[in-house]
Amino acid sequence: MRLSAVVRGVCIAMVGWAVAAGGVRSASAQQWTELREAGFRIEMPGTPERSVQELTVNGTGEVVDQIELTVTVGGTEYFCSRTVYRRMPADLTPAQMLVNSRDGRPGHLLTDRSLSVSGAPARDYVHEEDGWILATRAIYASDTLYQLIVVGRAGVQAAPATRRFFDSFSLAPRPPA
């Protein structure tokens, strides 16, 4: 199974739940690319491919665009997405959005912890499915769900490149209202 198929399947399945191989070089030897996108900054281990997926949100029927950035290095895929939700149920808290996102993943949950990223609620969690490890950091700020996912084999969740990828993400300060 191709890594991007694993990531895409996971992320598309996750959106419903949220509201309801290249050259063999290590990521540390890669040229890291800093990206400044709408509202956030991140470093990726190479120049990402950009795509947009149109998704229908379970529960609201809202059609949203999921902006995706993907880099594959050897047997590991780095994935960053941004999905803006304009019509969220009033009783859906950011914390519950992140729990729903986590619970929408296939496979067996190995670890999970709450944290804050740039003052926004976030979760780090790791799933295993069919020998693949999916390490995820999900951040929910205002009306936007950011997902950072690294897919690879055992140990990828603790790899220095995974940590750098996750730790490089920050939200841009919001202008005063």
Side-chain angles (χ1 to χ4, degrees):
M1 175 180 272
R2 224 177 124 225
L3 286 178
S4 59
V6 170
V7 171
R8 179 136 0 271
V10 164
C11 289
I12 289 172
M14 220 177 88
V15 169
W17 272 95
V19 183
V24 180
R25 294 186 296 181
S26 74
S28 61
Q30 290 292 308
Q31 178 67 34
W32 284 78
T33 302
E34 178 184 35
L35 301 162
R36 292 186 182 270
E37 297 282 325
F40 72 97
R41 173 204 173 276
I42 193 162
E43 294 177 14
M44 296 188 81
T47 303
E49 290 184 29
R50 176 184 299 275
S51 63
V52 178
Q53 300 298 318
E54 192 173 86
L55 307 170
T56 302
V57 179
N58 289 342
T60 67
E62 177 184 17
V63 176
V64 297
D65 286 339
Q66 181 169 282
I67 312 300
E68 302 172 348
L69 304 168
T70 308
V71 173
T72 302
V73 178
T76 304
E77 186 161 305
Y78 300 81
F79 176 89
C80 174
S81 72
R82 175 176 50 91
T83 310
V84 178
Y85 297 93
R86 305 232 186 272
R87 294 180 13 215
M88 295 302 293
D91 62 344
L92 183 62
T93 66
Q96 188 60 52
M97 174 70 140
L98 293 169
V99 167
N100 292 354
S101 172
R102 177 204 64 203
D103 293 348
R105 292 264 192 257
H108 175 70
L109 181 64
L110 301 176
T111 65
D112 175 36
R113 74 179 177 107
S114 298
L115 67 151
S116 176
V117 173
S118 301
R123 290 193 92 85
D124 276 355
Y125 43 90
V126 177
H127 283 81
E128 184 278 328
E129 181 181 28
D130 297 331
W132 292 101
I133 299 295
L134 290 85
T136 303
R137 175 167 287 175
I139 304 102
Y140 190 68
S142 295
D143 60 357
T144 304
L145 177 65
Y146 301 92
Q147 300 171 85
L148 314 177
I149 303 170
V150 179
V151 180
R153 295 299 182 180
V156 73
Q157 67 272 32
T162 298
R163 303 299 358 129
R164 178 175 178 176
F165 176 60
F166 284 0
D167 294 343
S168 73
F169 181 90
S170 64
L171 294 168
R174 299 229 181 239

